């Protein structure tokens, strides 16, 4: 069976300098539908026919395949796209094999200048598409929602090489699903966290305490100046997303 990958369609549009809005107009669909096409790992045949007809092109030009091309799974947690690009089963994470057993993984990066808009845009596919990408090297396929954030300020800088997050550090993080917030966070395994808060914005902290009964977290800065950076408490109900930091790259 041939899989018509949405990522290939996205690359085709990019090569033609056609944006999502223009593509939606050409195809007679909404812009949101076009973004859904981009994320699809197997477009419907009717959709493919519409793309080929409206853009007056061929399967090979758009998808890089012909009818004799068969795309086979190469890993239980991944799907081969017919080239070096691999997606996990959920279609969230993209990997490029750079050597046997080593993969380049790309995630959206939320730099300091974009953090003010993240709270309103984190569910907006267009906003996420426009974010720059950050790449890390991994030795296995990973699942989950990963994002990278740029650290601003010195609240998480204690001069330690072990856990400090100095200004300009890029942290790659994995989201903790909301249904898991009622359990204890694994703070011993993951000391640093990114909290997306309704009023505080994007906050990099350590979790000093978690009260399951009241649904609150006590957050702590690494900076030893507690006059400037005292511990403070937040309610989980006021959090939008919670990420544990899995990798950091110092500036």
């Amino acid at each position: 069976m041939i899989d018509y990958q949405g990522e290939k369609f996205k690359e085709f549009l990019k090569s033609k300098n056609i944006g999502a809005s223009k593509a939606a107009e050409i195809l007679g669909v909404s812009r949101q539908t076009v973004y859904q096409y981009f994320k699809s790992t197997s477009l419907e045949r009717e959709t493919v026919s519409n793309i080929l007809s409206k853009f007056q092109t061929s399967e090979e030009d758009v998808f890089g395949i012909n009818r004799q091309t068969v795309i086979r799974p190469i890993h239980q947690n991944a799907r081969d796209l017919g080239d070096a690009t691999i997606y996990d089963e959920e279609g969230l994470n993209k990997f490029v094999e750079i050597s046997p057993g080593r993969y380049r993984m790309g995630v959206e990066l939320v730099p300091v200048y974009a953090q003010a808009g993240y709270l309103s845009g984190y569910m907006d596919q267009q906003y996420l598409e426009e974010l720059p990408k950050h790449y890390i090297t991994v030795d296995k396929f990973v699942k989950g929602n990963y994002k990278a954030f740029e650290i601003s300020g010195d609240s998480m800088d204690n001069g330690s090489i072990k856990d400090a997050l100095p200004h300009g550090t890029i942290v790659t993080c994995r989201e903790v699903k909301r249904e898991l917030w009622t359990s204890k966070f694994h703070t011993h395994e993951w000391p640093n966290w990114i909290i997306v808060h309704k009023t505080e914005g994007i906050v990099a902290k350590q979790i000093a305490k978690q009260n399951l009964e009241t649904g609150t977290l006590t957050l702590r800065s690494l900076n030893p100046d507690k006059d400037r950076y005292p511990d403070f408490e937040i309610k989980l109900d006021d959090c939008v997303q919670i990420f544990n930091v899995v990798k950091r790259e110092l500036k």
Side-chain angles (χ1 to χ4, degrees), residues 78-97:
R79 179 186 295 275
D80 186 3
L81 301 190
D83 55 20
T85 304
I86 304 166
Y87 281 85
D88 67 2
E89 289 179 340
E90 297 174 337
L92 293 175
N93 303 313
K94 183 169 70 173
F95 306 88
V96 176
E97 187 170 15

Side-chain angles (χ1 to χ4, degrees), residues 166-181:
H167 178 78
T169 299
I170 302 296
V171 293
T172 303
C173 312
R174 185 178 190 273
E175 183 179 7
V176 179
K177 294 181 179 180
R178 181 174 289 272
E179 57 263 31
L180 300 178
W181 293 5

Side-chain angles (χ1 to χ4, degrees), residues 178-217:
R178 181 174 289 272
E179 57 263 31
L180 300 178
W181 293 5
T182 55
S183 302
K184 282 285 187 180
F185 291 108
H186 296 170
T187 55
H188 294 294
E189 184 176 3
W190 311 108
N192 295 328
W193 298 76
I194 295 291
I195 313 292
V196 183
H197 192 270
K198 292 179 181 178
T199 58
E200 298 291 335
I202 297 175
V203 180
K205 295 295 177 209
Q206 292 195 339
I207 298 175
K209 296 178 184 178
Q210 179 181 2
N211 190 320
L212 295 178
E213 292 184 359
T214 60
T216 57
L217 299 176

Side-chain angles (χ1 to χ4, degrees), residues 148-161:
F149 297 88
E150 182 183 10
I151 300 299
S152 177
D154 63 352
S155 70
M156 288 295 286
D157 188 0
N158 62 354
S160 168
I161 195 66

Side-chain angles (χ1 to χ4, degrees), residues 46-65:
E46 182 180 351
T47 299
V48 173
S49 297
N50 189 35
I51 290 172
L52 301 182
S53 173
K54 295 296 178 58
F55 286 94
Q56 298 183 348
T57 187
S58 67
E59 293 179 0
E60 187 169 0
D61 285 343
V62 179
F63 301 101
I65 57 177

